[in-house]
Amino acid sequence: MAFIEDYKAHVTEREALGVPALPLSAEQTAELIELIKSDCTDELLDLLTNRVSPGVDDAAYVKAAFLNDVAAEKVSVAAIAPEKAVEILGMMLGGYNVKPLVDALSSSNSAVVEAAKEALKHTLLVYDAFNDVEELHKAGNAAATEVMTSWANAEWFTSKPELAEEITVTVFKVPGETNTDDLSPASEAFTRSDIPLHANSMLVAKMDDPINTIKSLKEKGNPIAYVGDVVGTGSSRKSGVNSVQWHMGEDIAGVPNKRTGGVVLGGIIAPIFFATCEDSGALPLELDVTQMETGDVVTIYPYKGEAHKNGECIATFKLNPNTITDEVRAGGRIPLIIGRGLTSKARGVLSMGASDAFLTAEQPADTGKGYTLAQKMVGKACGMEGVRPGMYVEPVTSTVGSQDTTGPMTRDEIKELAALGFNADLVMQSFCHTAAYPKPSDVTMHNTLPDFISMRSGVALRPGDGVIHSWLNRMVLPDTVGTGGDSHTRFPIGISFPGGSGIVAFAGVTGSMPLTMPESVLVRFKGELQEGITLRDLVNAIPHQAIKEGLLTVEKKGKKNIFAGRILEIEGLPQLKVEQAFELSDASAERSAAACTVRLDKEPVIEYLKSNVVLLQSMIDAGYEDHRTLARRITKMEAWLANPELMEPDADAEYAAVIEIDLDQITEPILACPNDPDDVATLSEVLASDRPKNIDEVFVGSCMTNIGHYRALGEVLKGEGAVPTRLWVCPPTKMDEKQLTQEGYYALYGAAGARTEIPGCSLCMGNQARVGDNAIVFSTSTRNFDNRLGKGAQVYLGSAELAAVCSLLGKIPTKQEYLDLTKKIVGKEADIYKYLNFNLIQDYKLA
C-alpha cells in the first residue's frame, strides 16, 4: 500500500497549496494498476479514470495497455468489465487508446463492440487509424461502418450542447489594462505547466487577494466572467488563459488539472489572447464594459449580441468570428478544426457531399484591388494569389518556434493531440529564458524536452545557445508563414503569427494554423537617417507618429490603437540588413499587432541566407538534432538562393491606415517611458516632463539586440572607467558572445564594472534575474510593463547607444550630451555594425 500512502501524502501537500494532486506518472500508474488487479476500489478506479493525462503521455501508454488487456479479456478484473475498460479508454482523447478501440470493433463480445463504437464516435485524434476503420468498413464490419457514418454525420459535434441563448455571469473586473505578465507572472514561469499551481499567482502583483475575491463571487451561484478595459496584452501565453479558465472554467472529464470554457469580456482583447481563448474553448467578447463592476450580475445574449444588467441593455457586440459559437460548442477552435477534417474525410469515404452541421466562416467580398505583401505571403501558403482581410484560411506553417517557459505546456498540448511526429517543415525549441539561473524544474526540462522535440523531428537548441528569435530567424525561408509560442516571433523575412502553446502545438503537429486574415497598416519611411539616430529610435517613431495622428492613445480607458489585431507592414528601408529589419518586426508585438512584414531588397536576404546555410550545416556537424530537418531546410534555402525572388505588394493594395514617417524630422532619440511601450517621447520631451531622470540600472540585452549594439556599447564605454550605474550586458547568442570576446569588448565591459550574463533573455523576461526594487532603469529590452524587470521598477526602453550614455551619466542625457558621447562611434560604423556572416568565416565551426 506504499503507493496509496505516498499518494495521500502528496494530496495533503497539494491541498495545503489550494490545488489538486498532480497527474499520475507512468510509474505511479503501473503501481496503481497492480493494486486494481488485486483489490479494486472505487477510489482506485477513479484515479485510473481521471488522474492520468490523456493522449501520448507515458502514463497514458501504461493505462491504455492495461485497459486493452481487460477489453480483450486477457486480464480479468472484477470491478472492470471489458466494456467498462473500453468506456474508460474512450475518455483518453486519442493516441495510445485508438488501436485498442479499433481492435475492439472486431471483438466477439457484443458489449465491447457497442462500447468501442460509442467511444470512437467521439474520438477525433485518430490520425492514421482512420485508415484502419476504413478498411474494416470496406471489409463489411458493421461496427466500423457505424463509426464512419457517425463521423460523417458529425455526431461528435451535434451531441454536444449548443451555446446557450443566454448566459448569466457574475463580473470579476480588473480595470485598466491586464497584460499576460499580470495573468501569468514571469517570476512563476517554472510552474506554468502545473496549471492549478500557476493559477495561484494570477493577478497577485496587480490587486489585493484576487483569488479569494473570485471564490467569494462564486458564492452567488453564477459562472464568473473575467472583465477588463484592455485584456491580454503582451506575451503569447496560453498560461494566462489557462489561469483564467482554472478559476472560471469547467473541468474536462478524463483530463486532470485542466479546464475549458469561461467568459472573457473586454473593451479591447489583445488578438493573441483572443485567439488563445478561442483555441481553449472560452467565449471572448469585445464590447463596452464601462457599466460593469465587480459583483455585478450580467446576462449575455450571444446570438442577439447584447449584455444586460438589471434588465437593461448596457452593451452590444457582434460575435467574431461568426463561427465562434461552433468553437465553444466543440470545446475550442482546435478540436473544431480537427473534427471538421475528420467529418469531411469520412464523408469522402461514404461518397457524401459537404456537411451542413457547421457554420461557414463569413468570407469578405473580393474588392478587385491588389494585395499587400502580407496578403500575398499568406496567399502563397494557401495556394492562392492572395487573401483578403477577414478571410478565414489555414495556411501551411513551415516554421514553428517554441521557447522554454511555454515549452513544457507545448509538450503537454502535443501529448494531448496524440502526436508522435511533426508535420511542420521545421519546429525549433529554445532554452533562452531559463538557462542562466535554472531552478530544479528547469534542469529537468533541459534534460528531457530536447529529446521529446528531436524524436518528433524537431530541432532542439541547448541551454546557453541564446535567444529563440536570434536562432529561429536564421532558419526562416523568405515569403513563408510561421508561428511561435513567444509574442516576439516576428520574422524579418516572411511573416509569423505568434500564438499560445496550444496553437504552436497544433501548427507543429499539423503543419498549418487557423487564421482569420487581419487588415494591414502600412508604415512608410522616407527621407534620410539623421546623425545619432538609430533603428531603435525608428521603432519608437512608429507609435510616436501614430499618437500625433490620433491613431494611438496611451490612456487605457477608451484606448485607440490602429495597430491592434492588424498586420504592421513596413517599407522605405529596403537596404536594411535582415538583423536590423528584425528590430522593426520584433517591436510589432508591443503595438499589439497580429504580425509584421518588412519590405527588403533581395541583396540583404541573399547575404543572410548564405550565412544561415553555413550556420545550419555547422549545427549538423556539432550534433544538433534533428539533423534531417536541418538538412532539409538547408536544401530549401539553397533552392531559393539559386533563384532569388521576393514578393512585392501591389501598387493598389488597400490598408486600414497609411502612416508616413519622415526621417529628416527625427533629430533626437525617441524612447518608451515608464511603464508603457506606447508612452513614447523624445529626449527633450522626457526632460521637460515630470518623469524620473536619474538612472539606477541599465540593461543591454534581449531579442531586440544584435552584435552591432554590443560593439557600440563598448566603444562608448571605452576609456571611461567604471560606470556609476549597475550595468547588465547579455548578448543574444553564444556566437555573438564568442566574437565579442575575441574582439576585446568583454574586457571593456569588465573595465566598466558591467555584470555579464550568459546569452539568453536575462532581465527582459524578469523570471530569474531582477533589477532592484523600485529601481529606475534604462533597457534595450522589448517591453516595460509594471514589475516585469523588477518589483516597482520604472523602465525606459530605447537603443543600446542611448543605454551606453545613460550608464555613463547615471541619468537621461540631453540631446547634446548624447551626441557628444556617441561621437566615439562616428567613422567606425562599418566595423561596429558588421553582422556575423558565417559563410565569410574560414572553416566556421559552431562552438
Side-chain angles (χ1 to χ4, degrees):
M1 297 294 287
F3 164 75
I4 290 296
E5 292 171 1
D6 291 346
Y7 185 74
K8 286 183 177 178
H10 171 67
V11 169
T12 301
E13 291 173 3
R14 297 280 287 185
E15 284 177 344
L17 299 172
V19 297
L22 290 168
L24 298 179
S25 67
E27 294 76 14
Q28 289 174 317
T29 304
E31 290 184 58
L32 172 65
I33 287 168
E34 291 307 310
L35 291 175
I36 287 173
K37 287 179 180 178
S38 61
D39 183 18
C40 185
T41 64
D42 289 346
E43 179 187 15
L44 295 178
L45 187 57
D46 179 70
L47 287 176
L48 182 68
T49 304
N50 294 308
R51 301 306 303 170
V52 177
S53 295
V56 293
D57 187 85
D58 291 345
Y61 180 85
V62 177
K63 174 179 175 177
F66 165 64
L67 292 172
N68 180 45
D69 285 343
V70 176
E73 300 182 60
K74 295 178 183 177
V75 172
S76 178
V77 179
I80 308 177
E83 61 270 25
K84 179 65 175 179
V86 174
E87 179 185 327
I88 299 172
L89 278 168
M91 299 171 66
M92 295 177 66
L93 300 184
Y96 295 132
N97 68 326
V98 174
K99 186 178 186 305
L101 291 176
V102 174
D103 290 344
L105 294 176
S106 302
S107 172
S108 58
N109 184 330
S110 60
V112 166
V113 173
E114 287 299 313
K117 286 192 302 184
E118 289 308 305
L120 280 169
K121 287 176 183 179
H122 302 281
T123 300
L124 305 182
L125 303 173
V126 294
Y127 299 117
D128 291 344
F130 179 93
N131 301 324
D132 300 327
V133 177
E134 181 182 3
E135 287 180 10
L136 288 172
H137 154 68
K138 290 180 176 177
N141 184 304
T145 299
E146 188 173 331
V147 170
M148 188 68 69
T149 303
S150 176
W151 285 341
N153 290 333
E155 290 179 2
W156 62 268
F157 177 74
T158 57
S159 62
K160 296 176 182 289
E162 295 184 32
L163 182 66
E165 295 279 347
E166 61 180 77
I167 305 168
T168 299
V169 297
T170 299
V171 169
F172 173 70
K173 186 172 183 179
V174 184
E177 179 180 37
T178 312
N179 61 63
T180 48
D181 277 338
D182 298 322
L183 298 172
S184 172
S187 60
E188 301 300 315
F190 66 101
T191 66
R192 283 179 182 155
S193 61
D194 185 349
I195 293 172
L197 184 60
H198 189 68
N200 280 343
S201 65
M202 185 178 88
L203 297 170
V204 294
K206 190 173 182 70
M207 59 190 302
D208 293 331
D209 205 13
I211 307 307
N212 283 322
T213 299
I214 293 169
K215 288 179 180 177
S216 65
L217 292 173
K218 287 182 177 179
E219 294 175 2
K220 294 195 174 188
N222 302 316
I224 308 299
Y226 190 101
V227 181
D229 297 304
V230 181
V231 180
T233 55
S235 302
S236 48
R237 293 184 192 161
K238 190 169 190 289
S239 51
V241 174
N242 283 343
S243 292
V244 171
Q245 287 188 309
W246 182 255
H247 293 299
M248 305 176 194
E250 306 162 355
D251 289 331
I252 308 172
V255 182
N257 294 10
K258 190 173 184 179
R259 289 175 178 159
T260 188
V263 176
V264 176
L265 308 177
I268 295 175
I269 302 178
I272 297 175
F273 194 83
F274 190 103
T276 305
C277 287
E278 289 183 83
D279 296 335
S280 307
L283 176 63
L285 299 172
E286 287 191 319
L287 72 170
D288 181 0
V289 299
T290 55
Q291 296 187 59
M292 300 182 194
E293 300 296 339
T294 294
D296 286 348
V297 175
V298 172
T299 300
I300 300 163
Y301 297 90
Y303 302 98
K304 289 168 60 177
E306 295 179 358
H308 289 214
K309 184 174 77 171
N310 299 328
E312 294 184 5
C313 180
I314 59 170
T316 60
F317 59 88
K318 180 181 179 182
L319 289 174
N320 178 42
N322 70 297
T323 55
I324 199 166
T325 54
D326 278 6
E327 294 171 1
V328 175
R329 185 180 187 183
R333 181 171 60 165
I334 288 175
L336 177 64
I337 293 169
I338 293 170
R340 283 190 315 216
L342 179 64
T343 291
S344 177
K345 198 172 179 181
R347 293 179 79 84
V349 168
L350 299 177
S351 300
M352 300 168 69
S355 173
D356 59 1
F358 311 106
L359 292 172
T360 302
E362 293 176 351
Q363 301 289 34
D366 191 340
T367 62
K369 296 287 187 177
Y371 294 104
T372 73
L373 182 56
Q375 291 161 7
K376 286 190 172 183
M377 288 179 182
V378 175
K380 174 186 174 184
C382 299
M384 305 160 60
E385 181 185 359
V387 294
R388 300 292 179 196
M391 184 179 290
Y392 176 80
V393 289
E394 294 176 13
V396 170
T397 311
S398 61
T399 308
V400 178
S402 171
Q403 52 98 337
D404 40 336
T405 62
T406 58
M409 297 164 54
T410 300
R411 174 199 60 204
D412 294 345
E413 301 274 1
I414 291 167
K415 288 179 181 179
E416 287 185 20
L417 286 171
L420 295 173
F422 294 129
N423 282 298
D425 189 61
L426 187 145
V427 178
M428 193 204 79
Q429 174 68 49
S430 78
F431 297 92
C432 47
H433 294 72
T434 59
Y437 308 97
K439 295 177 173 65
S441 58
D442 296 328
V443 174
T444 300
M445 173 187 60
H446 295 168
N447 290 327
T448 57
L449 190 54
D451 285 345
F452 180 90
I453 295 295
S454 60
M455 286 174 60
R456 287 164 170 77
S457 76
V459 176
L461 298 183
R462 298 166 183 172
D465 279 352
V467 177
I468 176 173
H469 315 294
S470 302
W471 283 86
L472 189 64
N473 289 348
R474 291 188 170 276
M475 300 181 188
V476 173
L477 295 167
D479 295 339
T480 56
V481 174
T483 189
D486 185 300
S487 57
H488 294 99
T489 308
R490 311 275 175 151
F491 299 156
I493 55 176
I495 188 169
S496 173
F497 296 88
S501 55
I503 204 66
V504 171
F506 180 80
V509 168
T510 66
S512 65
M513 67 180 295
L515 177 68
T516 300
M517 189 66 184
E519 292 181 295
S520 289
V521 173
L522 178 65
V523 171
R524 181 186 294 124
F525 289 96
K526 65 179 183 178
E528 298 295 328
L529 203 64
Q530 301 300 296
E531 178 189 359
I533 303 305
T534 68
L535 270 172
R536 187 60 182 264
D537 299 316
L538 303 193
V539 164
N540 290 327
I542 295 173
H544 196 256
Q545 185 66 30
I547 289 171
K548 286 182 179 179
E549 296 184 17
L551 300 174
L552 175 67
T553 59
V554 177
E555 175 67 31
K556 304 305 176 186
K557 197 168 186 178
K559 183 176 178 69
K560 292 181 182 179
N561 184 356
I562 190 66
F563 307 107
R566 294 187 170 99
I567 299 171
L568 179 54
E569 305 210 34
I570 298 171
E571 65 180 37
L573 301 166
Q575 285 300 314
L576 288 181
K577 302 295 187 183
V578 177
E579 289 95 331
Q580 294 174 308
F582 182 59
E583 286 189 66
L584 293 169
S585 63
D586 189 0
S588 65
E590 276 57 68
R591 307 283 75 80
S592 293
C596 181
T597 66
V598 184
R599 187 178 177 186
L600 297 176
D601 286 346
K602 285 190 292 186
E603 288 73 21
V605 180
I606 292 169
E607 176 184 351
Y608 194 56
L609 261 66
K610 283 182 177 178
S611 174
N612 296 343
V613 165
V614 172
L615 177 64
L616 267 59
Q617 183 58 56
S618 72
M619 291 178 69
I620 295 172
D621 297 340
Y624 283 76
E625 293 293 350
D626 180 86
H627 67 276
R628 294 163 298 182
T629 296
L630 290 167
R632 183 172 63 244
R633 184 51 56 98
I634 288 171
T635 298
K636 292 185 177 182
M637 287 180 172
E638 290 175 335
W640 186 88
L641 287 167
N643 183 29
E645 294 294 336
L646 291 173
M647 290 180 167
E648 296 285 342
D650 292 326
D652 60 342
E654 295 181 305
Y655 300 91
V658 177
I659 299 172
E660 282 205 346
I661 298 176
D662 188 349
L663 299 178
D664 295 331
Q665 301 302 312
I666 303 173
T667 60
E668 60 180 315
I670 305 174
L671 52 162
C673 302
N675 266 349
D676 186 341
D678 283 345
D679 185 9
V680 289
T682 66
L683 272 183
S684 297
E685 289 167 342
V686 170
L687 292 173
S689 72
D690 59 359
R691 299 179 176 98
K693 311 299 189 301
N694 292 331
I695 299 296
D696 302 314
E697 304 195 37
V698 174
F699 174 57
V700 180
S702 86
C703 57
M704 287 292 286
T705 62
N706 55 59
I707 194 168
H709 298 134
Y710 296 87
R711 293 196 188 101
L713 170 67
E715 293 297 328
V716 174
L717 295 176
K718 187 183 293 185
E720 300 289 346
V723 299
T725 55
R726 190 184 193 198
L727 173 60
W728 304 67
V729 179
C730 183
T733 73
K734 66 179 182 180
M735 298 86 77
D736 298 306
E737 179 186 54
K738 180 181 178 182
Q739 186 68 24
L740 290 166
T741 301
Q742 290 175 349
E743 294 177 7
Y745 283 101
Y746 266 70
L748 297 178
Y749 307 149
R755 171 174 172 167
T756 55
E757 301 258 297
I758 70 168
C761 297
S762 185
L763 281 178
C764 181
M765 178 68 176
N767 62 318
Q768 295 180 333
R770 307 278 282 173
V771 299
D773 290 356
N774 304 311
I776 310 301
V777 184
F778 190 96
S779 175
T780 63
S781 56
T782 54
R783 50 178 61 120
N784 59 348
F785 297 141
D786 290 343
N787 304 307
R788 183 177 176 90
L789 271 65
K791 184 178 179 181
Q794 296 187 64
V795 182
Y796 289 96
L797 301 176
S799 69
E801 294 79 359
L802 184 52
V805 174
C806 289
S807 72
L808 278 176
L809 299 180
K811 66 173 187 175
I812 300 292
T814 65
K815 174 183 174 182
Q816 194 57 52
E817 287 172 328
Y818 168 77
L819 291 174
D820 288 345
L821 283 168
T822 54
K823 280 180 180 175
K824 294 181 177 183
I825 297 171
V826 177
K828 302 177 183 177
E829 291 89 349
D831 290 328
I832 290 173
Y833 302 108
K834 179 173 64 179
Y835 299 95
L836 282 177
N837 287 335
F838 301 105
N839 57 313
L840 301 181
I841 301 174
Q842 188 172 4
D843 301 323
Y844 179 76
K845 287 185 174 22
L846 189 62

